[in-house]
Amino acid sequence: MKIKSIEYENFRNFRDYGTIKCSTDGKVTIIYGKNGDGKTTLHQLFQWIFYGQVKFNKTTTDHLYNLAFESEQEYGSVFDVMGRIDFEHDGSLYSLTRKYTYRKGLDDSEKIGEDLSLQKRDEDYNWKRVDRPVETIEKMLPSGLSEYFFFDGESMIADLRVKGKDSAGKLRKALYSMFDLDVIEAALNHIGRTDLRTTVLGKLYLSQATIASGSQLSAIKTNIEGAQNVISDITQQIKDYDEERTKKKDLITQISEQIGSTKSKEEYEAQRSDLKRQRDRFLENASSDQAQFGDAVMDMFPPLLISKAVNDAKGKLNLKVNNSELPAGVNKRLITYLLKLTTTTCICGNELHDKERDHIREYLAMLPPRSYSSLYHDFTRTASMWGNGYDREKIEGIIKRVLDNQEYAYECDKRIKELDDAEKKSPDIEDLVVTRRLAEDRVNELDQLIVQLESKNDKYKLYLKQQMKQFDDLTKKTAANKKIETKIEIMQAVEKHFSDKLETAAIEYSKKLEENIQLLLDDMLTSKRTVSVSREFAVRVTDSFNDESKSEGQFAVVSFAYIGGILKMLKDDPSFKGKEYPLILDGPFSKLDPDQRQNVVNMLPQFAPQVIVFSKDDLHDVFSPDSIGRVWTIQSNEEKNIARIEEGKLWK
């Protein structure tokens, strides 16, 4: 795809109709503009026309129309916001037009309609409307890769620095879609597993109960379905909490950047960021030590002793069991005695009937298998019999490190709060500080809720596994169920085939991306760095000491290499032969030193056949004269709320 021109009318601060023609001959198109003139708005215009989405700055209104234009309209009148892009693709000309229609209200204008039209010029030079424009554009310029085609220098650097995992997830989803791997992934999800009742394997598995019979089998099937429903609900809750957590963390980052943009607050933000990094490191260390504790226990004791070791550790880590609901004196021995068929009279002298027995049985669910102190004493006595297998210092050392790291993290949080309290005295950012603290508190709350839900989920998964084992024992004997088992084995073989194919493809594409990024970095960075890309497309760039820390300039270069590596991988793939993707860059060079900037500029022709750059800095000394095509300048009024575009380099 090569963009020939973009038209607009009444889009944010661009009130009047305007057109920008772009170079399609390999030369760069430059659009100059000072801060606040509307460079980012024009960058957003491209994305709005293609995808109907705009990523607004948090400090601006989310209205698409020009406020001055709206103020001139009469109450009840209808007006449009229009954008149009003419482009070439696979040798054909297209025109994509998007419109939003608004009605003027008393306090605000309401969007009452929208329209998207894609037209293609035929061999007779007639324009023909294209059906399903959204799907057509998605194939030409996948929305999942929009952040790489439409590069926002500031946000991309923040994404790689703060949201590497999220960026990797978006990239994975987009590449899977482009290489048709999402079809394989959908097939895998459809086949599923035997413990998921809505999948092919799950339905086959439970169908065994319709062939066999018996009240016990029916009860177990009901238990399995109930556990599956609970697990599904918990999984969805975890997903919802995780999404909310991501949004809150994004808000925290945005507020921190907004506060930090004030020069007088830079020192405060640096202190706070340093404390947060320390806090997170302590929490990571605690989590890592907890995992090591489990590994150490597994290494030291046979399986029969593992549960006792875990219970001992839980006690020392203040993970207390709530048994306050049990009446005093109630224990397993007493309950067992009262539930015997030969026992007809309670110890209190009253007769025992079915109603009383049912009530007594309810206490069984509240009882641990034995008291935890008893388990601990049994455990230590038994452990001593195993001789050298029990390394008490190692176990207790790990526990101490967990507690120490949690204490250090608490101290960091305490100091952060003290900083925030002191900073609240500055009236210009008081609301921001409070909002950020509330968001951070919610993130911590969500972390705890997710941990609780994951623990609950693990228990239900264990219960489900137990029920499925009983189900297997009751259904495996019949000839009819043998046929179902054969079908399950066939579907599992199909699932393995698809899974292996997906795994192979993920490794292949991540390796290609790694090689592409490494080649570009070697040419653009002035210092040596090593690139690694995981199968999930998460990117790490490290020095010889495995250190990921980088300056903002290095982050910017890595961002370019990331984009270039993706576009090169698409260009080199046989299935995308002949396809082209434009690169629209907003403020791409602001964080680069002169050497880095020149290196990046020299590499840009390898990235894409068409490059459009929005810049506040003079680029005529950076690009060679013969590589510059169309040049435009944004002209804005003093209030920066009405702007127009004029051709040429028109600095005033």
Side-chain angles (χ1 to χ4, degrees):
M1 177 187 289
K2 290 182 181 178
I3 295 172
K4 295 177 67 66
S5 65
I6 182 167
E7 301 173 51
Y8 52 86
E9 186 171 16
N10 190 27
F11 185 81
R12 292 175 68 75
N13 54 324
F14 294 94
R15 180 181 65 180
D16 303 322
Y17 172 84
T19 303
I20 301 173
K21 296 185 182 299
C22 304
S23 300
T24 58
D25 56 359
K27 295 184 178 182
V28 63
T29 299
I30 301 176
I31 301 172
Y32 285 118
K34 298 177 182 178
N35 286 338
D37 280 350
K39 297 187 302 298
T40 299
T41 297
L42 277 179
H43 193 255
Q44 292 167 338
L45 176 63
F46 282 89
Q47 298 175 70
W48 176 67
I49 296 173
F50 277 119
Y51 307 116
Q53 297 178 351
V54 180
K55 185 178 180 182
F56 290 107
N57 186 301
K58 291 294 181 182
T59 61
T60 64
T61 173
D62 61 356
H63 297 305
L64 284 182
Y65 51 78
N66 182 267
L67 295 176
F69 177 88
E70 186 222 21
S71 67
E72 299 167 358
Q73 307 306 305
E74 295 182 359
Y75 170 71
S77 63
V78 174
F79 60 91
D80 293 330
V81 174
M82 186 277 293
R84 177 180 297 118
I85 291 178
D86 291 343
F87 61 91
E88 301 173 3
H89 184 76
D90 283 348
S92 298
L93 292 178
Y94 292 84
S95 182
L96 178 67
T97 304
R98 189 180 294 273
K99 284 184 181 180
Y100 279 4
T101 302
Y102 293 86
R103 178 181 286 116
K104 176 70 178 287
L106 288 175
D107 300 319
D108 207 350
S109 292
E110 175 190 9
K111 189 176 82 169
I112 59 174
E114 59 180 277
D115 179 66
L116 179 66
S117 170
L118 178 63
Q119 294 184 317
K120 179 180 179 181
R121 198 167 75 177
D122 62 18
E123 295 178 353
D124 297 325
Y125 297 93
N126 297 315
W127 289 99
K128 302 291 185 182
R129 192 177 183 98
V130 178
D131 294 332
R132 303 168 68 90
V134 174
E135 290 84 347
T136 304
I137 291 298
E138 185 67 28
K139 290 179 180 178
M140 294 177 177
L141 204 65
S143 59
L145 292 176
S146 63
E147 292 186 4
Y148 311 109
F149 302 136
F150 303 99
F151 175 80
D152 181 339
E154 296 289 343
S155 66
M156 177 60 74
I157 293 169
D159 274 356
L160 288 177
R161 187 198 297 264
V162 180
K163 301 188 295 182
K165 184 178 179 182
D166 293 340
S167 296
K170 292 181 199 173
L171 176 60
R172 177 183 178 277
K173 183 177 180 180
L175 292 180
Y176 272 35
S177 175
M178 296 184 75
F179 293 119
D180 292 329
L181 299 180
D182 57 338
V183 178
I184 299 176
E185 195 168 43
L188 285 170
N189 292 333
H190 182 64
I191 295 170
R193 306 191 307 264
T194 54
D195 60 341
L196 300 174
R197 68 183 180 87
T198 57
T199 64
V200 172
L201 284 173
K203 290 176 180 177
L204 278 173
Y205 180 80
L206 289 177
S207 69
Q208 297 174 99
T210 61
I211 297 172
S213 61
S215 58
Q216 184 181 4
L217 184 62
S218 298
I220 292 174
K221 181 186 176 185
T222 300
N223 292 342
I224 290 174
E225 291 175 333
Q228 289 173 334
N229 288 335
V230 173
I231 291 171
S232 177
D233 291 343
I234 293 175
T235 302
Q236 184 60 48
Q237 273 187 284
I238 292 173
K239 182 181 177 182
D240 293 342
Y241 283 152
D242 196 52
E243 288 177 355
E244 183 185 352
R245 181 178 177 275
T246 299
K247 290 178 182 178
K248 292 294 183 185
K249 293 193 79 171
D250 287 347
L251 175 62
I252 292 167
T253 300
Q254 291 162 5
I255 292 175
S256 295
E257 290 173 353
Q258 192 172 346
I259 294 173
S261 64
T262 306
K263 192 172 182 180
S264 61
K265 312 300 179 185
E266 288 179 357
E267 184 177 350
Y268 158 75
E269 282 302 304
Q271 283 182 306
R272 196 178 194 283
S273 297
D274 186 54
L275 284 169
K276 280 190 67 179
R277 281 195 295 272
Q278 291 181 41
R279 188 268 316 277
D280 291 343
R281 194 177 301 118
F282 288 137
L283 291 176
E284 287 174 7
N285 290 341
S287 179
S288 175
D289 283 330
Q290 285 175 323
Q292 287 182 32
F293 173 79
D295 293 339
V297 171
M298 289 290 290
D299 291 339
M300 290 179 195
F301 304 106
L304 290 176
L305 297 176
I306 290 174
S307 61
K308 294 175 182 154
V310 171
N311 286 330
D312 175 35
K314 284 183 177 179
K316 292 193 175 186
L317 292 173
N318 295 322
L319 301 177
K320 298 178 181 178
V321 176
N322 179 12
N323 58 3
S324 59
E325 297 178 358
L326 288 171
V330 174
N331 53 48
K332 189 170 184 179
R333 184 179 178 186
L334 175 59
I335 293 174
T336 302
Y337 167 76
L338 293 175
L339 291 178
K340 285 183 178 180
L341 295 177
T342 55
T343 305
T344 58
T345 305
C346 181
I347 58 173
C348 64
N350 294 322
E351 290 188 6
L352 291 175
H353 300 289
D354 289 342
K355 181 180 179 181
E356 287 78 13
R357 291 180 188 278
D358 289 341
H359 183 67
I360 292 170
R361 285 192 185 93
E362 291 177 1
Y363 289 120
L364 284 174
M366 301 181 191
L367 283 170
R370 296 177 65 185
S371 72
Y372 286 96
S373 61
S374 173
L375 280 176
Y376 175 65
H377 290 307
D378 284 354
F379 163 63
T380 52
R381 283 197 301 270
T382 308
S384 64
M385 295 172 59
W386 286 87
N388 296 328
Y390 178 43
D391 188 344
R392 179 175 178 177
E393 291 184 1
K394 182 174 182 179
I395 292 291
E396 294 187 352
I398 293 173
I399 294 173
K400 185 177 184 302
R401 289 199 301 273
V402 171
L403 296 174
D404 287 345
N405 277 295
Q406 289 176 340
E407 180 65 25
Y408 297 149
Y410 169 77
E411 288 298 325
C412 287
D413 266 332
K414 183 179 176 183
R415 290 174 61 189
I416 289 172
K417 189 176 185 305
E418 290 172 355
L419 275 175
D420 287 346
D421 290 341
E423 198 62 27
K424 278 191 232 179
K425 296 176 183 177
S426 301
D428 54 331
I429 66 164
E430 180 177 352
D431 290 342
L432 291 174
V433 172
V434 172
T435 301
R436 180 171 62 184
R437 168 51 64 181
L438 291 173
E440 288 176 335
D441 289 344
R442 180 56 178 166
V443 168
N444 291 334
E445 181 183 352
L446 289 168
D447 285 339
Q448 295 174 14
L449 289 171
I450 289 172
V451 169
Q452 292 170 8
L453 285 172
E454 287 174 343
S455 176
K456 184 178 179 181
N457 215 21
D458 289 341
K459 292 178 182 177
Y460 272 96
K461 285 179 179 179
L462 180 60
Y463 173 74
L464 176 61
K465 188 175 180 180
Q466 293 169 343
Q467 293 297 303
M468 289 179 69
K469 185 179 184 306
Q470 294 182 40
F471 187 84
D472 291 340
D473 292 338
L474 291 170
T475 59
K476 66 184 179 181
K477 298 177 182 179
T478 67
N481 281 336
K482 287 291 184 183
K483 292 181 180 180
I484 295 178
E485 285 183 6
T486 301
K487 291 180 181 179
I488 290 174
E489 289 172 1
I490 292 171
M491 291 308 302
Q492 287 175 333
V494 173
E495 189 273 340
K496 186 178 186 306
H497 169 75
F498 283 140
S499 182
D500 291 345
K501 188 173 182 179
L502 196 63
E503 178 78 1
T504 301
I507 293 173
E508 177 188 350
Y509 290 126
S510 61
K511 189 66 177 176
K512 284 181 181 178
L513 182 59
E514 180 178 292
E515 292 171 356
N516 290 342
I517 295 176
Q518 186 68 66
L519 287 172
L520 291 170
L521 269 189
D522 290 343
D523 288 334
M524 290 192 295
L525 265 186
T526 54
S527 54
K528 179 65 179 175
R529 290 293 184 272
T530 301
V531 178
S532 62
V533 179
S534 73
R535 287 174 295 180
E536 297 299 318
F537 299 101
V539 179
R540 292 186 76 244
V541 180
T542 58
D543 61 15
S544 57
F545 295 100
N546 201 35
D547 183 11
E548 287 190 89
S549 60
K550 293 177 281 295
S551 66
E552 285 194 318
Q554 288 174 328
F555 261 112
V557 174
V558 169
S559 301
F560 275 108
Y562 192 56
I563 294 167
I566 293 167
L567 296 178
K568 187 176 186 304
M569 184 171 69
L570 296 176
K571 185 171 67 174
D572 293 344
D573 192 275
S575 59
F576 289 88
K577 189 175 181 181
K579 290 190 176 182
E580 299 175 324
Y581 302 97
L583 192 57
I584 297 93
L585 308 170
D586 180 18
F589 309 127
S590 60
K591 303 295 183 181
L592 303 178
D593 63 35
D595 289 338
Q596 290 172 335
R597 182 175 59 182
Q598 194 62 59
N599 288 342
V600 169
V601 166
N602 294 340
M603 296 298 292
L604 278 178
Q606 297 185 32
F607 288 14
Q610 182 185 39
V611 177
I612 301 170
V613 180
F614 297 84
S615 179
K616 66 178 179 179
D617 302 314
D618 191 346
L619 300 180
H620 276 66
D621 294 331
V622 180
F623 288 95
S624 61
D626 59 349
S627 67
I628 297 177
R630 295 270 193 170
V631 178
W632 303 81
T633 303
I634 303 173
Q635 303 285 296
S636 182
N637 64 352
E638 290 184 359
E639 292 184 70
K640 305 287 188 181
N641 57 8
I642 299 177
R644 66 185 188 280
I645 308 291
E646 296 184 12
E647 189 164 12
K649 180 184 174 185
L650 307 173
W651 293 103
K652 291 183 180 180

